[in-house]
Amino acid sequence: MTYPKIPLAQSIIEICLAKGVNDIVISPGSRNAPLTIGFANNPDFTCYSIADERCAAFFAMGIAQQTKRPVAVVCTSGSALLNYYPAVAEAFYSQIPLVVISADRPHDKIDIGDGQTIRQENVYANHILYNGNLLEEASEENDRKINEAINTAVMQKGPVHINAPFEEPLYETVAELSVTPNIIDLPLKKTGFEDLDPYVEKWNAAKKKLVLVGVNDPNTIDRAIIEQLANDPSVIVMTETPANLYHERFLGSIDTIITPFKHEDFEAWRPDILLTFGGMVVSKRVKAWLRKYAPAEHWHIDTLRAYDTFGALTKHFVVEANEFLNDLLPKTRTVESNYNQKAQELKAFRKLKHDEYLAKVIFSDFKAFDLILPALPQNSQLQISNSASIRYAQLFEMRSDIEVFCNRGTSGIDGSTSTAVGAAVGSQKETVLITGDVSFLYDSNALWNNYIPKDFKIIVINNGGGGIFRILPGHSENEVFNTYFETAHHLNAEHLAKMYGFGYQSASDELSLKTALPAFMERSGQPKILEVFTPMRENDGVLLGYFRELV
């Protein structure tokens, strides 16, 4: 076996191995050579080489998103690790275990004019769970910090930073280890469950219970629990598109339901108890509703955090949602209520209006999603970029065989494609990314990647700019808006597809999209891009017209 000669590098590598950090994403550089040599020469690690650090970090985060295991990203010194920051922030808010390992100059080389040298210690201070600032020599103290970093990433589900100073020479190797690092086991998880009797009483007394599910992993809630919630007359379940929770009686397109509401509707639907679990909520409308028409009780279920999203949080249950519901629901009784029935009637009415509108609407972003979503391959994974893409997807009921993911931690467009590629590698499932043109162009270096699966597919909705800004309040048709908000352009993905070895198809109307989708969704020997061109100046009118016609 070939090892780096530097003992500190050996310690980092051996502790990663002992603690199951086996996926290593490396961005080429010189100062991180000792780590690269050690990781790449050990067959127990799966190493990936991705030059663009921003893409590398989102790619690593995509793998961790799927495997639920910590993934390491390794970079050289200087500005390299600053390019990890967008993914670090996303991992922080999305609770994804990401281990950043940055090589650094020795402490006496900082701020004396050396190249590729910045103040790297604590550089992610506002969005990190643990900072492991190591000293140059291998030591028990360094071992403790490395162990604590990885243990924290696992236990608290988020990003950690290990900063390792290395002095030259950097490329020397040895055949035997010179260190035997200490390994610190994960701490035991706290067990025990509080008395739910007071909450059972409140649940049984409430005639209007709203269960709102944000970003949530697939297959986390027992079928029996789903059925009980769906058939309780006093319960409405609203699910976001990335909630991955399906039942015909759940309300899966929240904005379609509540956007046309007037004061009396919001008041009538105001819950006595709001029960939430999962991560961030996409719908701005549901946030506005529950902030203005606050529930008497808001209970949130999460093993780590409880954001007071609606300004009404009364209880945080520190437990897995499935465990909590399995404990709570058997102790409850059915309450006479028409809360759920009214929701089912409105859902059926909105669906009728939804279908009527789609039957007559012109080709647009909205119509494109109507055609694309039913065409997704069976049992595939859907990754959706932020901004308009996820918001359009929220207007449609998703098929129950589709797993949906979106970077909703910070809701940025910057790493959607890189995350989707990493997720495809991590899950080994057929993966489709639906993204907007600006998001796709912004992260186009994601295609500079030698690990993209052959069945990976990207659908780019190209409306010639940041179409989301036409929907938001403040839109005005003038040069300032078009240039600085919408970022209007005439670019397309065809030459990028050719450069990176992707198959390429395009569509610009309903017929061409219907014709392209069957062949595009078939498996082939190369990844593919389907670019759908929609009319920039008509999309916002189509969407606003949709909400008007739902009543």
Side-chain angles (χ1 to χ4, degrees):
M1 186 80 75
T2 301
Y3 301 98
K5 185 176 181 180
I6 296 175
L8 178 58
Q10 294 180 17
S11 295
I12 294 170
I13 293 160
E14 292 302 303
I15 294 172
C16 284
L17 180 62
K19 304 196 76 61
V21 184
N22 298 108
D23 290 299
I24 314 294
V25 181
I26 302 170
S27 293
S30 182
R31 188 61 50 170
N32 58 333
L35 296 169
T36 301
I37 290 167
F39 283 125
N41 280 292
N42 190 326
D44 290 325
F45 294 105
T46 300
C47 294
Y48 306 88
S49 176
I50 296 181
D52 184 318
E53 282 87 4
R54 188 181 71 193
C55 294
F58 276 110
F59 174 83
M61 200 190 71
I63 297 175
Q65 176 197 82
Q66 296 298 310
T67 64
K68 311 305 175 192
R69 298 192 304 269
V71 175
V73 283
V74 179
C75 69
T76 190
S77 63
S79 62
L81 78 159
L82 300 181
N83 289 297
Y84 285 163
Y85 210 145
V88 168
E90 178 63 35
F92 180 80
Y93 287 109
S94 287
Q95 300 182 192
I96 293 175
L98 185 69
V99 180
V100 174
I101 307 175
S102 57
D104 198 359
R105 293 295 204 267
H107 290 81
D108 60 1
K109 298 294 198 304
I110 308 299
D111 286 344
I112 65 167
D114 260 18
Q116 285 189 279
T117 305
I118 65 172
R119 300 170 187 176
Q120 295 186 192
E121 293 187 354
N122 306 319
V123 74
Y124 308 120
N126 287 330
H127 301 95
I128 205 78
L129 297 179
Y130 184 88
N131 286 297
N133 297 309
L134 307 184
L135 299 176
E136 191 175 336
E137 300 299 327
S139 65
E140 289 187 7
E141 178 65 11
N142 278 343
D143 289 353
R144 181 189 62 79
K145 290 178 180 179
I146 300 163
N147 276 275
E148 285 188 4
I150 298 171
N151 286 352
T152 300
V154 173
M155 297 296 292
Q156 298 185 33
K157 299 180 183 176
V160 296
H161 180 204
I162 299 169
N163 191 59
F166 297 129
E167 181 58 283
E168 298 177 8
L170 302 169
Y171 293 86
E172 293 183 342
T173 62
V174 293
E176 301 289 339
L177 288 170
S178 60
V179 299
T180 305
N182 295 322
I183 307 299
I184 302 172
D185 292 335
L186 288 170
L188 294 175
K189 288 187 177 181
K190 295 180 180 178
T191 58
F193 208 95
E194 64 183 290
D195 179 18
L196 288 184
D197 287 347
Y199 301 96
V200 172
E201 289 181 16
K202 290 181 179 181
W203 185 272
N204 288 337
K207 293 191 174 184
K208 295 190 293 183
K209 279 99 72 172
L210 176 63
V211 178
L212 176 62
V213 188
V215 174
N216 188 61
D217 288 332
N219 307 312
T220 57
I221 305 298
D222 292 344
R223 193 69 216 175
I225 295 298
I226 293 172
E227 291 293 338
Q228 186 170 347
L229 290 172
N231 292 295
D232 189 320
S234 65
V235 173
I236 294 174
V237 179
M238 287 184 164
T239 60
E240 296 261 280
T241 299
N244 293 297
L245 197 64
Y246 300 103
H247 193 282
E248 61 182 6
R249 294 178 67 83
F250 290 175
L251 307 187
S253 48
I254 299 171
D255 288 353
T256 297
I257 296 292
I258 71 171
T259 297
F261 274 9
K262 297 178 180 178
H263 165 73
E264 55 268 26
D265 302 307
F266 284 123
E267 190 62 63
W269 280 56
R270 184 205 296 255
D272 302 319
I273 296 175
L274 171 65
L275 178 67
T276 58
F277 62 90
M280 301 296 190
V281 172
V282 176
S283 172
K284 294 177 68 174
R285 290 178 172 90
V286 81
K287 292 176 190 174
W289 164 38
L290 293 171
R291 286 167 181 166
K292 185 173 181 179
Y293 299 84
E297 298 268 338
H298 174 201
W299 306 345
H300 186 70
I301 315 167
D302 189 280
T303 57
L304 296 170
R305 304 181 198 171
Y307 295 115
D308 192 7
T309 302
F310 312 105
L313 185 68
T314 54
K315 180 61 180 177
H316 175 202
F317 293 98
V318 186
V319 64
E320 296 287 353
N322 195 58
E323 183 181 350
F324 172 84
L325 293 169
N326 268 302
D327 195 13
L328 175 77
L329 293 184
K331 300 173 182 176
T332 62
R333 63 174 182 269
T334 301
V335 180
E336 184 177 340
S337 172
N338 65 355
Y339 195 47
N340 183 281
Q341 183 58 37
K342 292 293 185 183
Q344 298 308 315
E345 291 170 1
L346 184 59
K347 178 182 177 180
F349 177 76
R350 293 277 198 262
K351 180 67 166 64
L352 179 66
K353 293 296 183 181
H354 174 96
D355 292 344
E356 287 177 353
Y357 188 72
L358 278 166
K360 64 182 181 181
V361 74
I362 65 169
F363 188 69
S364 55
D365 286 353
F366 187 55
K367 187 65 177 178
F369 274 84
D370 177 54
L371 299 173
I372 291 166
L373 294 177
L376 293 171
Q378 288 287 325
N379 302 309
S380 59
Q381 181 178 117
L382 174 62
Q383 293 272 337
I384 309 180
S385 74
N386 277 302
S387 203
S389 296
I390 184 60
R391 298 192 185 282
Y392 273 111
Q394 291 264 107
L395 303 178
F396 297 86
E397 296 283 347
M398 193 65 64
R399 289 199 337 249
S400 61
D401 62 290
I402 304 296
E403 296 181 353
V404 185
F405 295 87
C406 180
N407 285 350
R408 290 307 300 178
T410 63
S411 307
I413 66 167
D414 39 4
S416 298
T417 307
S418 297
T419 302
V421 175
V425 170
S427 69
Q428 299 185 348
K429 292 183 178 180
E430 187 172 7
T431 300
V432 179
L433 167 67
I434 300 178
T435 182
D437 50 309
V438 176
S439 179
F440 173 76
L441 293 168
Y442 197 91
D443 195 26
S444 61
N445 268 0
L447 307 186
W448 183 16
N449 182 314
N450 293 324
Y451 313 101
I452 300 174
K454 295 290 189 287
D455 59 1
F456 183 72
K457 301 174 182 68
I458 302 174
I459 299 176
V460 181
I461 309 296
N462 191 339
N463 52 32
I468 188 71
F469 290 102
R470 289 182 168 264
I471 302 165
L472 299 175
H475 165 243
S476 177
E477 195 67 52
N478 56 54
E479 185 177 349
V480 170
F481 175 85
N482 294 342
T483 301
Y484 297 104
F485 289 90
E486 190 173 46
T487 58
H489 67 85
H490 300 285
L491 304 173
N492 65 68
E494 183 175 5
H495 295 292
L496 277 172
K498 183 177 181 181
M499 181 168 73
Y500 288 114
F502 277 65
Y504 178 81
Q505 295 172 252
S506 65
S508 56
D509 55 34
E510 184 171 347
L511 178 60
S512 60
L513 181 55
K514 284 181 176 178
T515 303
L517 281 168
F520 178 77
M521 292 301 180
E522 290 179 358
R523 292 176 182 265
S524 65
Q526 65 178 155
K528 305 176 187 176
I529 294 174
L530 171 60
E531 191 162 21
V532 183
F533 296 94
T534 64
M536 173 199 294
R537 299 186 188 279
E538 284 79 26
N539 281 320
D540 57 324
V542 169
L543 184 61
L544 295 173
Y546 170 69
F547 291 123
R548 285 194 299 268
E549 296 212 13
L550 286 172
V551 295

